[in-house]
Amino acid sequence: MHIGSALLILWLIIGGIAAGQRGDYKGPMGCSSVGTIAVTILAGPLNYAGVKPHINCSVSASAR
């Protein structure tokens, strides 16, 4: 395994842990929840440096 791959995996694991500590995995899973979890995981260790990503979105069904 290359060092870059190992660092990427470690980065994403830290992001997943940060999302769990923030309580992002609790509650109903909607567009905003899934988006916030994804961005938190991608932010990785930056979550511990003060980055608090949050996504707001809505899904609307329009009949055309």
Side-chain angles (χ1 to χ4, degrees):
M1 180 181 285
H2 290 72
I3 188 77
S5 299
L7 288 175
L8 176 63
I9 291 170
L10 182 61
W11 183 278
L12 295 174
I13 289 171
I14 292 170
I17 292 169
Q21 289 176 339
R22 289 178 47 185
D24 290 344
Y25 299 127
K26 296 178 182 175
M29 288 292 158
C31 177
S32 295
S33 298
V34 172
T36 299
I37 291 168
V39 173
T40 301
I41 291 172
L42 290 175
L46 297 177
N47 289 290
Y48 298 106
V51 176
K52 304 263 187 223
H54 184 75
I55 302 293
N56 289 323
C57 62
S58 62
V59 178
S60 62
S62 60
R64 289 189 175 190

